[in-house]
Coordinates of all heavy atoms in Angstrom, one line a residue:
M995 N 0.8 -1.2 0.0 CA 0.0 0.0 0.0 C 0.9 1.3 0.0 O 2.0 1.2 0.5 CB -0.9 0.0 1.2 CG -1.9 -1.1 1.3 SD -3.1 -0.9 0.0 CE -4.4 0.0 0.8
I996 N 0.4 2.3 -0.6 CA 1.0 3.6 -0.6 C 0.2 4.5 0.3 O -1.0 4.6 0.2 CB 1.1 4.2 -2.0 CG1 1.9 3.3 -2.9 CG2 1.6 5.6 -2.0 CD1 1.8 3.7 -4.3
H997 N 0.9 5.1 1.3 CA 0.2 6.0 2.2 C 0.3 7.4 1.6 O 1.4 7.9 1.3 CB 0.9 6.0 3.5 CG 0.3 6.9 4.6 ND1 -0.9 6.5 5.2 CD2 0.7 8.0 5.1 CE1 -1.2 7.4 6.0 NE2 -0.3 8.4 6.0
V998 N -0.9 8.1 1.4 CA -0.9 9.4 0.7 C -1.5 10.4 1.8 O -2.5 10.1 2.4 CB -1.8 9.4 -0.5 CG1 -1.8 10.7 -1.2 CG2 -1.4 8.2 -1.5
R999 N -0.8 11.5 1.9 CA -1.2 12.5 2.9 C -1.5 13.8 2.1 O -0.8 14.1 1.1 CB -0.1 12.7 3.9 CG 0.2 11.4 4.7 CD 1.2 11.6 5.7 NE 0.5 12.4 6.8 CZ 1.2 12.9 7.8 NH1 2.5 12.7 8.0 NH2 0.6 13.6 8.7
F1000 N -2.4 14.6 2.7 CA -2.8 15.9 2.1 C -2.7 17.0 3.1 O -3.0 16.8 4.3 CB -4.2 15.8 1.6 CG -4.5 14.6 0.7 CD1 -5.2 13.6 1.3 CD2 -4.0 14.5 -0.5 CE1 -5.4 12.4 0.5 CE2 -4.2 13.4 -1.3 CZ -5.0 12.3 -0.8
F1001 N -2.2 18.2 2.7 CA -2.0 19.3 3.6 C -2.6 20.5 3.1 O -2.8 20.8 1.9 CB -0.5 19.5 3.9 CG 0.2 18.4 4.6 CD1 0.8 17.4 3.8 CD2 0.1 18.2 5.9 CE1 1.4 16.3 4.5 CE2 0.7 17.2 6.6 CZ 1.4 16.2 5.8
A1002 N -3.1 21.4 4.1 CA -3.6 22.7 3.8 C -4.8 22.7 2.9 O -5.7 21.9 3.1 CB -2.5 23.6 3.4
S1003 N -4.8 23.5 1.9 CA -5.9 23.6 0.9 C -6.1 22.4 0.1 O -7.2 22.1 -0.3 CB -5.7 24.8 0.0 OG -4.5 24.7 -0.8
V1004 N -5.1 21.6 -0.1 CA -5.2 20.3 -0.8 C -6.1 19.4 0.1 O -7.0 18.7 -0.4 CB -3.9 19.6 -1.1 CG1 -4.1 18.3 -1.8 CG2 -3.0 20.6 -1.9
R1005 N -5.9 19.3 1.4 CA -6.7 18.5 2.3 C -8.2 19.0 2.2 O -9.1 18.1 2.2 CB -6.2 18.6 3.7 CG -7.0 17.8 4.7 CD -6.5 17.8 6.1 NE -6.0 19.1 6.5 CZ -5.0 19.4 7.3 NH1 -4.2 18.4 7.7 NH2 -4.7 20.6 7.6
E1006 N -8.4 20.3 2.2 CA -9.8 20.8 2.1 C -10.4 20.3 0.8 O -11.6 20.0 0.8 CB -9.7 22.3 2.2 CG -9.3 22.8 3.6 CD -9.1 24.3 3.7 OE1 -9.5 25.0 2.7 OE2 -8.5 24.7 4.6
R1007 N -9.7 20.4 -0.3 CA -10.3 20.0 -1.6 C -10.6 18.5 -1.6 O -11.6 18.1 -2.2 CB -9.4 20.4 -2.7 CG -9.5 21.9 -3.0 CD -8.8 22.3 -4.2 NE -9.6 21.9 -5.3 CZ -9.4 22.4 -6.6 NH1 -8.5 23.2 -6.8 NH2 -10.2 22.0 -7.5
V1008 N -9.7 17.7 -1.1 CA -9.9 16.2 -1.1 C -10.9 15.8 -0.1 O -11.6 14.8 -0.3 CB -8.5 15.5 -0.9 CG1 -8.7 14.0 -0.7 CG2 -7.6 15.9 -2.0
G1009 N -11.0 16.5 1.0 CA -12.0 16.2 2.0 C -11.5 15.2 3.1 O -12.3 14.6 3.8
M1010 N -10.2 14.9 3.1 CA -9.6 14.0 4.1 C -8.1 14.3 4.2 O -7.5 15.0 3.3 CB -9.8 12.6 3.6 CG -9.1 12.2 2.3 SD -9.6 10.5 1.8 CE -11.2 10.8 1.0
A1011 N -7.5 13.9 5.3 CA -6.1 14.1 5.5 C -5.2 13.1 4.9 O -4.0 13.4 4.7 CB -5.9 14.2 7.1
E1012 N -5.7 11.9 4.7 CA -4.9 10.9 4.2 C -5.7 9.7 3.6 O -6.9 9.7 3.8 CB -4.0 10.3 5.2 CG -4.7 9.8 6.4 CD -3.7 9.4 7.6 OE1 -2.9 10.3 8.0 OE2 -3.7 8.2 8.0
M1013 N -5.1 8.9 2.7 CA -5.7 7.7 2.2 C -4.7 6.7 1.9 O -3.5 7.0 1.8 CB -6.6 8.1 0.9 CG -5.8 8.4 -0.3 SD -6.8 8.5 -1.9 CE -8.1 9.6 -1.5
Q1014 N -5.1 5.5 1.7 CA -4.2 4.4 1.4 C -4.6 3.9 0.0 O -5.8 3.8 -0.4 CB -4.4 3.2 2.3 CG -4.1 3.5 3.8 CD -2.6 3.5 4.0 OE1 -1.8 2.9 3.4 NE2 -2.2 4.4 5.0
L1015 N -3.6 3.7 -0.9 CA -3.8 3.2 -2.2 C -3.0 2.0 -2.5 O -1.9 1.8 -2.0 CB -3.4 4.3 -3.2 CG -4.1 5.6 -3.2 CD1 -3.4 6.6 -4.2 CD2 -5.6 5.4 -3.6
P1016 N -3.6 1.0 -3.2 CA -2.8 -0.2 -3.5 C -1.7 0.2 -4.5 O -1.9 1.1 -5.3 CB -3.9 -1.1 -4.2 CG -4.9 -0.1 -4.7 CD -5.0 1.0 -3.8
C1017 N -0.6 -0.5 -4.4 CA 0.5 -0.3 -5.3 C 0.6 -1.4 -6.3 O 0.8 -2.6 -5.9 CB 1.8 -0.2 -4.5 SG 3.2 0.3 -5.5
P1018 N 0.5 -1.1 -7.6 CA 0.7 -2.2 -8.5 C 2.1 -2.8 -8.5 O 3.1 -2.1 -8.1 CB 0.4 -1.5 -9.9 CG 0.7 -0.1 -9.6 CD 0.4 0.2 -8.2
L1019 N 2.3 -4.0 -9.0 CA 3.6 -4.6 -9.1 C 4.5 -3.7 -9.9 O 4.1 -3.2 -11.0 CB 3.5 -6.0 -9.7 CG 4.7 -6.9 -9.5 CD1 5.0 -7.1 -8.1 CD2 4.4 -8.2 -10.2
G1020 N 5.6 -3.3 -9.5 CA 6.5 -2.4 -10.2 C 6.3 -1.0 -9.8 O 7.1 -0.1 -10.2
G1021 N 5.3 -0.6 -9.1 CA 5.0 0.7 -8.6 C 4.6 1.6 -9.8 O 4.2 1.2 -10.8
F1022 N 4.5 2.9 -9.5 CA 4.2 3.9 -10.5 C 4.8 5.3 -10.0 O 5.5 5.3 -9.1 CB 2.7 4.0 -10.8 CG 1.8 3.9 -9.6 CD1 1.9 4.7 -8.5 CD2 0.6 3.1 -9.7 CE1 1.0 4.6 -7.5 CE2 -0.3 3.1 -8.7 CZ -0.1 3.8 -7.6
S1023 N 4.4 6.3 -10.7 CA 5.0 7.6 -10.5 C 4.1 8.5 -9.5 O 2.9 8.1 -9.3 CB 5.2 8.4 -11.8 OG 3.9 8.8 -12.3
V1024 N 4.7 9.5 -9.0 CA 3.9 10.5 -8.2 C 2.7 11.0 -9.0 O 1.6 11.1 -8.5 CB 4.8 11.6 -7.7 CG1 3.9 12.7 -7.0 CG2 5.8 11.1 -6.7
E1025 N 2.9 11.2 -10.3 CA 1.8 11.7 -11.2 C 0.7 10.7 -11.2 O -0.5 11.1 -11.2 CB 2.4 11.9 -12.6 CG 1.3 12.4 -13.6 CD 0.9 13.8 -13.4 OE1 1.7 14.6 -12.9 OE2 -0.2 14.2 -13.8
E1026 N 1.0 9.4 -11.3 CA 0.0 8.4 -11.3 C -0.8 8.3 -10.0 O -2.0 8.0 -9.9 CB 0.6 7.1 -11.7 CG 1.0 7.1 -13.2 CD 1.8 5.9 -13.6 OE1 2.8 5.6 -12.9 OE2 1.5 5.3 -14.6
V1027 N 0.0 8.5 -8.9 CA -0.7 8.5 -7.6 C -1.7 9.7 -7.6 O -2.8 9.5 -7.1 CB 0.3 8.7 -6.4 CG1 -0.3 9.0 -5.1 CG2 1.3 7.5 -6.4
L1028 N -1.3 10.8 -8.1 CA -2.2 12.0 -8.1 C -3.5 11.6 -8.9 O -4.6 12.0 -8.5 CB -1.6 13.2 -8.7 CG -2.4 14.5 -8.8 CD1 -2.9 14.9 -7.5 CD2 -1.6 15.6 -9.5
T1029 N -3.3 11.0 -10.0 CA -4.5 10.5 -10.9 C -5.4 9.6 -10.1 O -6.6 9.8 -10.1 CB -4.0 9.8 -12.1 OG1 -3.2 10.7 -12.9 CG2 -5.2 9.3 -13.0
M1030 N -4.9 8.7 -9.3 CA -5.7 7.8 -8.5 C -6.4 8.6 -7.4 O -7.6 8.3 -7.1 CB -4.8 6.7 -7.9 CG -4.4 5.7 -8.9 SD -3.5 4.3 -8.2 CE -4.9 3.5 -7.4
V1031 N -5.7 9.5 -6.8 CA -6.3 10.4 -5.7 C -7.5 11.1 -6.3 O -8.6 11.2 -5.7 CB -5.3 11.3 -5.1 CG1 -5.9 12.4 -4.3 CG2 -4.3 10.6 -4.3
E1032 N -7.3 11.8 -7.4 CA -8.4 12.5 -8.1 C -9.6 11.6 -8.3 O -10.7 12.1 -8.1 CB -7.9 13.2 -9.4 CG -7.0 14.3 -9.2 CD -6.4 14.9 -10.5 OE1 -6.2 14.1 -11.4 OE2 -6.3 16.1 -10.5
G1033 N -9.4 10.4 -8.8 CA -10.5 9.5 -9.0 C -11.2 9.1 -7.8 O -12.4 9.1 -7.7
Q1034 N -10.5 8.8 -6.7 CA -11.1 8.4 -5.5 C -11.8 9.5 -4.8 O -12.8 9.3 -4.1 CB -10.1 7.7 -4.6 CG -9.7 6.3 -5.1 CD -9.2 5.4 -4.0 OE1 -9.4 5.7 -2.8 NE2 -8.7 4.2 -4.4
A1035 N -11.2 10.7 -4.8 CA -11.7 11.8 -4.1 C -12.8 12.5 -4.9 O -13.5 13.3 -4.4 CB -10.6 12.8 -3.7
G1036 N -12.9 12.3 -6.2 CA -13.9 12.9 -7.0 C -13.6 14.4 -7.2 O -14.6 15.2 -7.3
T1037 N -12.4 14.8 -7.2 CA -12.0 16.2 -7.4 C -10.8 16.4 -8.3 O -9.9 15.5 -8.3 CB -11.8 16.9 -6.0 OG1 -11.7 18.4 -6.3 CG2 -10.6 16.5 -5.3
E1038 N -10.7 17.5 -9.0 CA -9.6 17.8 -9.8 C -8.6 18.6 -9.0 O -8.9 19.6 -8.4 CB -10.1 18.6 -11.0 CG -9.0 19.1 -12.0 CD -8.7 18.1 -13.0 OE1 -9.5 17.2 -13.2 OE2 -7.6 18.2 -13.6
L1039 N -7.4 18.1 -9.0 CA -6.3 18.8 -8.3 C -5.3 19.4 -9.3 O -4.4 20.2 -8.8 CB -5.6 17.8 -7.3 CG -6.4 17.3 -6.2 CD1 -5.7 16.3 -5.4 CD2 -6.9 18.5 -5.3
R1040 N -5.3 19.1 -10.5 CA -4.3 19.6 -11.5 C -4.5 21.0 -11.8 O -3.5 21.7 -12.3 CB -4.4 18.8 -12.8 CG -4.0 17.3 -12.6 CD -4.3 16.5 -13.8 NE -4.4 15.1 -13.4 CZ -3.3 14.3 -13.2 NH1 -2.1 14.8 -13.3 NH2 -3.5 13.1 -12.9
D1041 N -5.6 21.6 -11.4 CA -5.8 23.1 -11.6 C -5.2 23.9 -10.5 O -5.2 25.1 -10.5 CB -7.2 23.4 -11.9 CG -8.1 23.1 -10.7 OD1 -7.7 22.2 -9.8 OD2 -9.2 23.6 -10.6
V1042 N -4.7 23.2 -9.5 CA -4.1 23.8 -8.3 C -2.6 23.6 -8.4 O -2.1 22.6 -8.8 CB -4.6 23.2 -7.0 CG1 -3.9 23.8 -5.8 CG2 -6.1 23.2 -6.9
H1043 N -1.8 24.7 -8.1 CA -0.3 24.5 -8.1 C 0.0 23.6 -6.9 O -0.2 24.0 -5.7 CB 0.4 25.9 -8.0 CG 1.8 25.8 -8.1 ND1 2.4 25.4 -9.3 CD2 2.8 25.9 -7.2 CE1 3.7 25.4 -9.1 NE2 4.0 25.7 -7.9
L1044 N 0.6 22.4 -7.2 CA 0.9 21.5 -6.1 C 2.4 21.2 -6.1 O 3.1 21.3 -7.1 CB 0.2 20.1 -6.5 CG -1.3 20.0 -6.3 CD1 -1.7 18.6 -6.7 CD2 -1.7 20.3 -4.9
L1045 N 2.8 20.8 -4.9 CA 4.1 20.3 -4.7 C 3.9 18.9 -4.1 O 2.8 18.6 -3.6 CB 4.9 21.1 -3.7 CG 5.2 22.6 -4.1 CD1 5.8 23.3 -2.9 CD2 6.1 22.6 -5.3
A1046 N 4.9 18.1 -4.3 CA 4.8 16.7 -3.8 C 6.1 16.3 -3.0 O 7.2 16.8 -3.3 CB 4.6 15.7 -4.9
S1047 N 5.9 15.4 -2.1 CA 7.1 14.8 -1.4 C 6.9 13.3 -1.4 O 5.8 12.8 -1.4 CB 7.2 15.4 0.0 OG 6.2 14.9 0.8
L1048 N 8.0 12.6 -1.4 CA 8.1 11.2 -1.3 C 9.0 10.9 -0.1 O 10.1 11.2 -0.1 CB 8.6 10.6 -2.6 CG 8.8 9.1 -2.6 CD1 7.4 8.4 -2.5 CD2 9.6 8.6 -3.8
N1049 N 8.4 10.2 0.9 CA 9.1 9.9 2.1 C 9.8 11.1 2.7 O 10.9 11.1 3.1 CB 10.1 8.7 1.8 CG 9.4 7.5 1.3 OD1 8.3 7.2 1.8 ND2 10.0 6.8 0.4
Q1050 N 9.0 12.2 2.7 CA 9.4 13.5 3.3 C 10.6 14.2 2.6 O 11.3 15.0 3.2 CB 9.7 13.3 4.8 CG 8.5 12.7 5.6 CD 8.7 12.5 7.1 OE1 9.8 12.9 7.6 NE2 7.7 12.0 7.7
Q1051 N 10.7 13.9 1.3 CA 11.7 14.7 0.5 C 10.9 15.2 -0.7 O 10.2 14.5 -1.4 CB 12.8 13.7 0.0 CG 13.6 13.1 1.1 CD 14.5 14.1 1.8 OE1 15.1 14.9 1.1 NE2 14.6 14.0 3.1
H1052 N 11.1 16.5 -1.0 CA 10.5 17.1 -2.2 C 11.0 16.4 -3.4 O 12.2 16.1 -3.5 CB 10.8 18.6 -2.3 CG 10.1 19.4 -1.3 ND1 10.7 20.6 -0.8 CD2 8.9 19.3 -0.7 CE1 9.9 21.1 0.1 NE2 8.8 20.4 0.2
V1053 N 10.0 16.1 -4.3 CA 10.3 15.3 -5.5 C 9.5 15.9 -6.7 O 8.5 16.4 -6.5 CB 10.1 13.8 -5.4 CG1 11.0 13.2 -4.3 CG2 8.6 13.6 -5.0
P1054 N 10.0 15.7 -7.9 CA 9.2 15.9 -9.1 C 8.1 14.9 -9.3 O 8.2 13.8 -8.7 CB 10.2 15.9 -10.3 CG 11.4 15.1 -9.8 CD 11.4 15.3 -8.3
F1055 N 7.1 15.2 -10.1 CA 6.0 14.3 -10.3 C 6.4 13.0 -11.1 O 5.6 12.1 -11.1 CB 4.8 15.0 -10.9 CG 4.0 15.8 -9.9 CD1 4.6 17.0 -9.3 CD2 2.8 15.5 -9.5 CE1 3.9 17.7 -8.4 CE2 2.1 16.2 -8.5 CZ 2.6 17.3 -8.0
T1056 N 7.5 13.0 -11.7 CA 8.0 11.9 -12.4 C 8.7 10.8 -11.6 O 9.0 9.7 -12.1 CB 8.9 12.3 -13.5 OG1 10.0 13.0 -12.9 CG2 8.2 13.2 -14.6
T1057 N 8.8 11.1 -10.3 CA 9.6 10.2 -9.4 C 8.8 8.9 -9.2 O 7.6 8.9 -9.0 CB 9.7 10.9 -8.0 OG1 10.4 12.1 -8.2 CG2 10.5 10.0 -7.1
P1058 N 9.5 7.8 -9.3 CA 8.8 6.5 -9.0 C 8.4 6.3 -7.6 O 9.1 6.8 -6.6 CB 9.9 5.4 -9.3 CG 11.0 6.2 -10.1 CD 10.9 7.6 -9.7
V1059 N 7.3 5.6 -7.4 CA 6.7 5.4 -6.1 C 6.6 3.8 -5.9 O 6.2 3.2 -6.9 CB 5.3 6.0 -5.9 CG1 4.7 5.7 -4.6 CG2 5.4 7.5 -6.1
H1060 N 6.9 3.3 -4.8 CA 6.9 1.9 -4.6 C 6.0 1.5 -3.3 O 5.7 2.4 -2.5 CB 8.3 1.3 -4.4 CG 9.1 1.6 -5.6 ND1 9.0 1.0 -6.8 CD2 10.1 2.5 -5.8 CE1 9.8 1.4 -7.7 NE2 10.5 2.4 -7.1
D1061 N 5.7 0.3 -3.2 CA 5.0 -0.2 -2.0 C 5.6 0.3 -0.7 O 6.8 0.3 -0.6 CB 4.9 -1.7 -2.1 CG 3.8 -2.3 -1.2 OD1 2.8 -1.6 -1.0 OD2 4.0 -3.4 -0.7
E1062 N 4.7 0.7 0.2 CA 5.1 1.2 1.5 C 5.7 2.6 1.5 O 6.0 3.1 2.6 CB 6.1 0.3 2.2 CG 5.6 -1.1 2.4 CD 4.3 -1.2 3.3 OE1 4.2 -0.4 4.3 OE2 3.4 -2.0 3.0
D1063 N 5.7 3.3 0.4 CA 6.1 4.7 0.3 C 5.1 5.6 0.9 O 3.9 5.3 0.9 CB 6.5 5.1 -1.1 CG 7.9 4.7 -1.5 OD1 8.7 4.3 -0.7 OD2 8.1 4.7 -2.7
E1064 N 5.5 6.8 1.3 CA 4.5 7.9 1.7 C 4.7 9.0 0.7 O 5.8 9.5 0.5 CB 4.9 8.4 3.1 CG 3.9 9.6 3.5 CD 4.4 10.2 4.8 OE1 5.2 11.1 4.7 OE2 3.8 9.8 5.8
V1065 N 3.5 9.4 0.1 CA 3.5 10.5 -0.8 C 2.6 11.6 -0.2 O 1.5 11.3 0.3 CB 2.9 10.1 -2.2 CG1 2.7 11.3 -3.1 CG2 3.7 9.0 -2.8
A1066 N 3.1 12.8 -0.3 CA 2.3 13.9 0.3 C 2.1 15.0 -0.8 O 3.0 15.2 -1.6 CB 2.9 14.5 1.5
F1067 N 0.9 15.6 -0.8 CA 0.6 16.7 -1.7 C 0.3 17.9 -0.9 O -0.5 17.8 0.0 CB -0.5 16.3 -2.7 CG -0.2 15.2 -3.6 CD1 -0.7 13.9 -3.3 CD2 0.6 15.4 -4.7 CE1 -0.5 12.9 -4.2 CE2 0.9 14.3 -5.5 CZ 0.4 13.1 -5.3
F1068 N 0.8 19.1 -1.3 CA 0.6 20.3 -0.6 C 0.8 21.5 -1.5 O 1.5 21.4 -2.5 CB 1.5 20.4 0.6 CG 3.0 20.1 0.3 CD1 3.9 21.1 0.0 CD2 3.4 18.8 0.2 CE1 5.2 20.9 -0.3 CE2 4.8 18.5 -0.1 CZ 5.6 19.5 -0.3
P1069 N 0.2 22.6 -1.1 CA 0.4 23.9 -1.9 C 1.8 24.5 -1.6 O 2.4 24.2 -0.5 CB -0.7 24.8 -1.4 CG -1.0 24.3 0.0 CD -0.7 22.9 0.0
P1070 N 2.3 25.3 -2.4 CA 3.5 26.0 -2.1 C 3.3 26.8 -0.8 O 2.3 27.4 -0.5 CB 3.8 27.0 -3.3 CG 2.9 26.5 -4.4 CD 1.7 25.7 -3.7
V1071 N 4.4 26.9 -0.1 CA 4.3 27.7 1.2 C 4.9 29.1 1.0 O 5.9 29.2 0.3 CB 5.2 27.0 2.3 CG1 5.2 27.8 3.6 CG2 4.7 25.6 2.5
T1072 N 4.2 30.1 1.4 CA 4.6 31.4 1.3 C 4.7 32.0 2.7 O 4.1 31.6 3.7 CB 3.7 32.3 0.5 OG1 2.4 32.3 1.1 CG2 3.6 31.8 -0.9
G1073 N 5.6 32.9 2.9 CA 5.8 33.6 4.2 C 5.5 35.0 4.1 O 5.3 35.6 3.1
G1074 N 5.4 35.7 5.3 CA 5.1 37.1 5.3 C 6.0 37.8 6.2 O 6.8 37.5 6.9

């Protein structure tokens, strides 16, 4: 299973803080995880500027994801 977490406005759009997704043999990319999240949550996230992390490290959406990984989606952080 892949553990997926959502933060800030992404969590509000998805309607939950986290979800578990099955991982196909060979894994897939962060982009494919996002596609599965959109399908399960019934909401479009691609129209929002998103950042992603894999196992608490910022990564591009092309990064491979494997069983037992943690993927997180969150908006860019700004300071004031």
Side-chain angles (χ1 to χ4, degrees):
M995 294 295 266
I996 297 169
H997 184 72
V998 186
R999 300 182 71 187
F1000 312 104
F1001 294 95
S1003 60
V1004 179
R1005 178 177 45 216
E1006 292 170 14
R1007 287 190 73 164
V1008 172
M1010 62 187 81
E1012 56 189 56
M1013 72 171 52
Q1014 299 284 330
L1015 295 174
C1017 184
L1019 198 57
F1022 45 44
S1023 68
V1024 171
E1025 179 75 26
E1026 291 169 310
V1027 171
L1028 180 60
T1029 299
M1030 290 185 71
V1031 165
E1032 289 176 322
Q1034 288 206 10
T1037 188
E1038 177 86 16
L1039 295 173
R1040 293 170 202 282
D1041 62 340
V1042 177
H1043 187 68
L1044 288 179
L1045 297 175
S1047 69
L1048 178 66
N1049 300 323
Q1050 301 182 5
Q1051 298 288 320
H1052 287 147
V1053 296
F1055 281 71
T1056 55
T1057 303
V1059 177
H1060 302 286
D1061 198 30
E1062 301 299 321
D1063 280 345
E1064 178 189 85
V1065 177
F1067 295 105
F1068 48 95
V1071 177
T1072 59

